[in-house]
Amino acid sequence: MVKALKSASTPETEEGRQYHLEVKPGDVSRYVLLPGDPGRVELIAKFWEKNWKVAQHREYVTYSGYYKNVFITATSTGIGGPATAIAVEELARVGADTFIRVGTTGALTKNIEVGDLIISTGAVRLDGTSKHYVIPEYPAIASIDVTLALIEAADSLGVKYHVGLTASSDSFYVGQERPGFKGYLPPFQKGLIEFLRSVNVLNFEMEASVIFTLANIYGLRAGAVCAAIANRETEVFIPNAGVEEAVKVANEAVKILNEWDRELEKTGRKIITPSLIAETWGRRRGSFEEK
């Protein structure tokens, strides 16, 4: 017999198991990596010392485990803003408060090579989902501490990366100025890429704006690191180029954030500051030198 959920407005079981993700409190870490592709969850978990599958339902696959002794979770969001918003909503309800998108993207300028990583500081909200939550003028901004952790992780791993604004679209084809079926492209989409280049937007993807917007509204933290698998200026497209590097950076960023969070708890500070980062980095470097 199928059990009824709490209500149509609160679609979860009495124990808090969520309708779409099928996760409940205690299943997931406060730190959650968010790939779009369900298959990428296993790739992420491959780098953990210990992992287990928590749930799988529709496009949502969730693994939890430990990376360098830090409890960590990865959940796939599927493609686009609507499915991503569901993932963030339900993960937040069961205790997650820090989200890192680990995705793929198309770079807009030739100086970003296929295989490079892009760490987003914010997103142009070309999606429709975030507009259901807040006025269009509300910015989609990544959390500064998560962004800094991603930058430090990329530096420590020696991968090539760029930092800047992304544009998030609900459409992979026409919405990113790719011709639709039979070459269809409406007049209002023509010139979009050139315009975004002119205002220094680095890349196109499909989920960051929703993650950033919801995280800011709910007082949570969010960041994004994406592998450039395509370049819209050079027209090179290599599926999965840089994906493993993005995964490694995201995992390492969680470890760094955990170090900073523990330091905040120990010192009673509220915000991660440059001095705190310098202190923890000094200790990390000392431990490396001892080895």
Side-chain angles (χ1 to χ4, degrees), residues 62-287:
T62 298
Y63 275 64
S64 287
Y66 287 88
Y67 175 76
K68 297 185 177 179
N69 297 318
V70 178
F71 185 39
I72 187 171
T73 294
T75 296
S76 56
T77 63
I79 297 175
T84 299
I86 288 171
V88 173
E89 286 277 7
E90 296 191 359
L91 287 163
R93 284 164 165 76
V94 297
D97 66 15
T98 302
F99 302 94
I100 299 177
R101 165 154 161 69
V102 189
T104 56
T105 190
L108 301 183
T109 57
K110 62 184 178 183
N111 66 297
I112 301 175
E113 297 179 355
V114 169
D116 290 358
L117 303 187
I118 298 175
I119 296 170
S120 300
T121 55
V124 182
R125 291 170 54 204
L126 300 180
D127 72 280
T129 302
S130 68
K131 295 177 178 64
H132 288 284
Y133 282 81
V134 71
I135 57 173
E137 292 81 5
Y138 189 89
I141 302 298
S143 304
I144 188 169
D145 47 358
V146 180
T147 303
L148 289 173
L150 287 166
I151 291 170
E152 184 168 324
D155 268 337
S156 67
L157 293 171
V159 301
K160 187 179 176 185
Y161 66 93
H162 308 261
V163 179
L165 294 174
T166 184
S168 300
S169 171
D170 278 340
S171 166
F172 180 80
Y173 287 98
V174 171
Q176 296 184 35
E177 206 181 345
R178 287 186 178 95
F181 181 54
K182 296 184 179 180
Y184 174 74
L185 192 65
F188 53 83
Q189 291 294 81
K190 294 177 181 177
L192 176 60
I193 290 175
E194 188 54 44
F195 168 69
L196 291 173
R197 284 190 195 123
S198 74
V199 292
N200 203 27
V201 174
L202 302 186
N203 60 305
F204 260 133
E205 55 80 71
M206 300 181 68
E207 291 84 22
S209 61
V210 169
I211 296 169
F212 295 166
T213 300
L214 268 62
N216 277 294
I217 289 172
Y218 294 145
L220 309 172
R221 303 187 298 186
V225 57
C226 291
I229 63 171
N231 186 292
R232 300 303 298 279
E233 189 166 16
T234 65
E235 290 294 347
V236 175
F237 196 133
I238 305 174
N240 294 320
V243 168
E244 190 164 303
E245 287 74 17
V247 166
K248 291 177 180 178
V249 165
N251 277 325
E252 189 65 18
V254 167
K255 177 182 179 292
I256 293 166
L257 276 169
N258 178 258
E259 290 175 358
W260 294 347
D261 289 340
R262 286 190 287 110
E263 191 69 16
L264 287 177
E265 187 176 346
K266 184 170 66 176
T267 61
R269 300 188 216 182
K270 300 295 183 184
I271 299 172
I272 292 172
T273 62
S275 60
L276 183 145
I277 292 172
E279 290 169 15
T280 57
W281 175 246
R283 285 196 290 272
R284 291 178 76 217
R285 186 172 59 183
S287 67

